[in-house]
Amino acid sequence: LGCLIMPRTVARVGHIRAFGAMTALAVVSVLATLLIVQPWAWIPLRGVAGFAFAGAAMIVESWLNEKTGNEDRGTVYSIYMIVTSIGVMGGQFLLVVADPATATLFMVAALLYAAAVIPTGLSNASSPQPLSQVRLNFRKLYANSPLAFIGIAVNGVIFGAYNFQMPVYLQLSGFPNAQIATAMAAAMIGGTVFQMPLGRVSDKTDRRRVITAVSVAGAALSIALASISEASFALQIALIVLFGGTLMPLYSLIAAHANDHAASDEFVEISSGLLIIYGVGTMIGPLVAGGFMSVLGPAGFFVMLAGF
């Protein structure tokens, strides 16, 4: 819903005001979640949070694309994804700072969202151009780049499966909790390390070749991980680092390719459409991965990822 509604909001009030509204809405959802600790309240409040997160991400990505040329779009997107990954890892490690059952982490989250408005509000950088018209058209999005349309959906399936079912796979494989945390962090580290080099390479050549090479490498690593469940933990971690190096950069490579072929007034439409398709993929991925593991056992997780 955030991706569907936000383009019209940006067209009406501009990028900066829309971004400020989304961060404020995120603060409201976090603090309200803290105030009303009941399932009937948390379910809709998480929906409000998702609306705000998706809307803010769409604004940021469309803004970046307007200010970036094709010759360095991959590099800029890589920096964006590196910063995002560091934020995700940092948020996870905050769980050791305070008890999640207390109010502390809720307040920290609200403070961080409020702080996100400050750089935008005080910056003297020129604002993106106002939008003349915005209309989501998935047929047009496919015509703009069939590779991006299908690729971002598949990438969503893979990432959704990884994000929700990787801990389940590790648990079923007999990993203790400390090793599960290490393995999850290893994939994020791999993605962070490989983002920039792959982004720069894609700026200097046909991005489709880089996307293809990364996808083939990801499939090969998935097959290897499915085959070495009895191998040493160190070897599995090494392969998971490399696997993360293929999984995490795919989104930025595909999004950069899609925007290479977009007109200057289409960046919001492209970002919104890609995020919606990606979101649908992330919902499908865990279900498909769970089915594969039910039939093939834990190794079915990486068999499924190899196929996608």
Side-chain angles (χ1 to χ4, degrees):
L1 287 175
C3 293
L4 289 169
I5 294 173
M6 199 47 49
R8 293 185 177 89
T9 305
V10 172
R12 188 171 66 253
V13 303
H15 290 72
I16 293 176
R17 288 181 177 178
F19 181 77
M22 289 303 99
T23 52
L25 193 61
V27 172
V28 169
S29 70
V30 171
L31 292 180
T33 302
L34 170 60
L35 287 174
I36 312 171
V37 187
Q38 295 291 338
W40 60 264
W42 278 30
I43 291 170
L45 285 171
R46 291 300 294 162
V48 171
F51 179 92
F53 302 158
M58 188 223 76
I59 294 166
V60 170
E61 292 181 18
S62 61
W63 193 332
L64 284 175
N65 278 302
E66 181 176 323
K67 298 296 182 182
T68 307
N70 290 357
E71 68 280 357
D72 57 359
R73 194 183 309 280
T75 301
V76 170
Y77 248 94
S78 295
I79 295 170
Y80 164 61
M81 293 303 293
I82 288 171
V83 172
T84 301
S85 298
I86 291 172
V88 170
M89 285 189 288
Q92 291 173 342
F93 284 114
L94 281 176
L95 290 173
V96 303
V97 176
D99 184 355
T102 66
T104 303
L105 293 179
F106 290 90
M107 291 189 285
V108 169
L111 287 170
L112 290 171
Y113 283 124
V117 185
I118 296 173
T120 307
L122 296 180
S123 174
N124 60 0
S126 59
S127 302
Q129 293 297 314
L131 303 174
S132 55
Q133 61 176 6
V134 178
R135 184 180 65 184
L136 279 176
N137 186 329
F138 290 103
R139 184 174 296 178
K140 179 181 176 183
L141 183 63
Y142 179 83
N144 172 71
S145 174
L147 169 64
F149 189 99
I150 297 171
I152 210 74
V154 173
N155 184 229
V157 171
I158 295 171
F159 188 80
Y162 159 80
N163 203 34
F164 291 101
Q165 294 285 25
M166 180 73 162
V168 177
Y169 159 79
L170 293 168
Q171 191 174 46
L172 291 174
S173 299
F175 287 75
N177 287 340
Q179 291 186 348
I180 291 174
T182 302
M184 295 299 291
M188 297 292 292
I189 291 168
T192 303
V193 169
F194 283 94
Q195 280 280 1
M196 183 68 73
L198 289 171
R200 285 184 171 172
V201 170
S202 76
D203 285 336
K204 300 180 185 302
T205 186
D206 189 336
R207 273 190 237 281
R208 293 173 297 180
R209 294 182 178 179
V210 182
I211 292 168
T212 301
V214 170
S215 299
V216 170
L221 287 163
S222 297
I223 292 171
L225 283 162
S227 306
I228 62 161
S229 58
E230 302 300 324
S232 68
F233 179 66
L235 176 58
Q236 293 187 63
I237 286 295
L239 289 177
I240 288 172
V241 169
L242 295 175
F243 171 77
T246 64
L247 170 64
M248 305 301 176
L250 262 183
Y251 179 89
S252 56
L253 293 170
I254 295 169
H257 174 72
N259 285 285
D260 286 342
H261 300 276
S264 59
D265 60 347
E266 294 177 337
F267 291 137
V268 170
E269 293 180 58
I270 295 293
S271 294
S272 299
L274 291 181
L275 282 168
I276 290 172
I277 296 167
Y278 183 78
V280 172
T282 61
M283 289 186 281
I284 294 172
L287 303 176
V288 177
F292 268 77
M293 284 193 286
S294 295
V295 175
L296 302 177
F301 174 70
F302 279 108
V303 171
M304 171 263 181
L305 292 182
F308 276 90

